[in-house]
Amino acid sequence: MKDILILAIESSCDETAAAVVKNGREVLSNVISSQIDLHTIYGGVVPEIASRKHTENINPVIREALSSANVTLKDMDAIAVTYGPGLVGALLVGVSEAKAISFATGIPLIGVHHIEGHISANYIENKDLEPPFVCLVVSGGHSHLVKVLDYGEYEILGRTRDDAAGEAFDKVARAIGLGYPGGPKIDKVAKSGNPDAISFPRAKVVGSEYDFSFSGLKSAVLNYLNSCEMKGEQIVVEDVAASFQKAVVDVLTEHSVRAVRESGMKKFALAGGVASNSALRESVAKAMEAEGVSFYKPSPILCTDNAAMIGAAGYYEFIKGQRSGYDLNAVPALKLGDR
Ligand code: KG4
Ligand code: ZN
């Protein structure tokens, strides 16, 4: 069978990324231009700055993705691009670029869902992984527990009612003075802290056993910090980080175990930026082993926003015959499963 080469583009938040992916699972190049340094001084992503930087970066990033894969646009069978969810101005840069290339060259266009991309990151390094499986997608913008029934077919079991897991990490990190982005920093300092030092709540959403809620936990951390300050007590940042992280990881692990038990699925995968978290990887690995369930996780570079995952998801849409028209638009609140 002829190889299928896809040029993938991702610009939904603060990473401008392009990749060339062969047959959905082989990454020929994966270029990521991160804007983190630019947004750090503001303590978070500034949408207008993100859009402007994407505009500056997108052409060089695509050129580099093609040249380091040693291919040209003529070799491409399709162009896959993230069209939602994300920041509208940021998404529009990638979508407009992909449409322009597609229109100029006649290469078919495929709009890809960002979360579907995160899930599909698991296909790249795990050549044997095929649906059905359960996937926990935890990032800065989303927390979803999903049944992956088939390629591109999902059943959402649970989602966050308020903050996403990564958002909680970022907010708590800011409160304890670690800065942005908080997830990797909490992960690092938590290694020298005591996860049982402070008892933070494990929130349950009544009536929706798979849903998450992290805003109560975030408030509990802020209250704890305030009360220490009032009492003149010294805050041990490492202990706060470790105890907060344990509270998040416990809830994510518990829900994941319930999902594999109740679904009877024998495979479980992590995805999204928070899937890089070392405590989460360890806890889920242990729990899934005890359940007799195979555990999959992308390397950290494929957990963070990247275009290789968009190429993987785009490939499965492509072979199903899915194509987007030139009316493809950015959809900031796109739901998983919508087209
Ligand atoms: O998937 P991603 O790169 O972007 C979104 O689609 O949101 O996720 C970024 C999020 C940020 O909130 C960041 O703090 C978090 O992932 N993150 C982590 C770790 N690495 C990144 N959270 C916890 N532990 C980590 N090691
Ligand atoms: Zn993401």
Side-chain angles (χ1 to χ4, degrees), residues 114 118 139-141 166-167 169-170 182-184 187 272-274 276-277 303-305:
H114 183 75
H118 275 302
S139 72
E167 203 177 343
F169 269 94
D170 294 336
D187 194 349
V274 182
S276 293
N277 185 267
C303 287
T304 191
D305 284 350

Side-chain angles (χ1 to χ4, degrees), residues 10 12-15 85 114 118 138-142 164-170 180-188 245 271-279 303-306 309:
E10 154 67 42
S12 66
C13 189
D14 60 343
E15 264 93 27
H114 183 75
H118 275 302
V138 271
S139 72
H142 334 274
E167 203 177 343
F169 269 94
D170 294 336
Y180 174 86
K185 294 186 173 157
I186 288 194
D187 194 349
K188 193 161 170 233
Q245 179 172 272
V274 182
S276 293
N277 185 267
S278 55
C303 287
T304 191
D305 284 350
N306 67 87
M309 67 185 197

Side-chain angles (χ1 to χ4, degrees), residues 59-109:
N59 279 321
V61 164
I62 291 174
R63 237 176 266 133
E64 194 185 330
L66 290 169
S67 71
S68 64
N70 212 8
V71 293
T72 66
L73 270 180
K74 284 198 198 73
D75 303 314
M76 296 301 113
D77 295 284
I79 301 168
V81 64
T82 306
Y83 73 109
L87 302 168
V88 67
L91 288 164
L92 269 174
V93 177
V95 169
S96 309
E97 176 83 12
K99 287 202 288 190
I101 299 175
S102 170
F103 186 71
T105 58
I107 302 168
L109 178 71

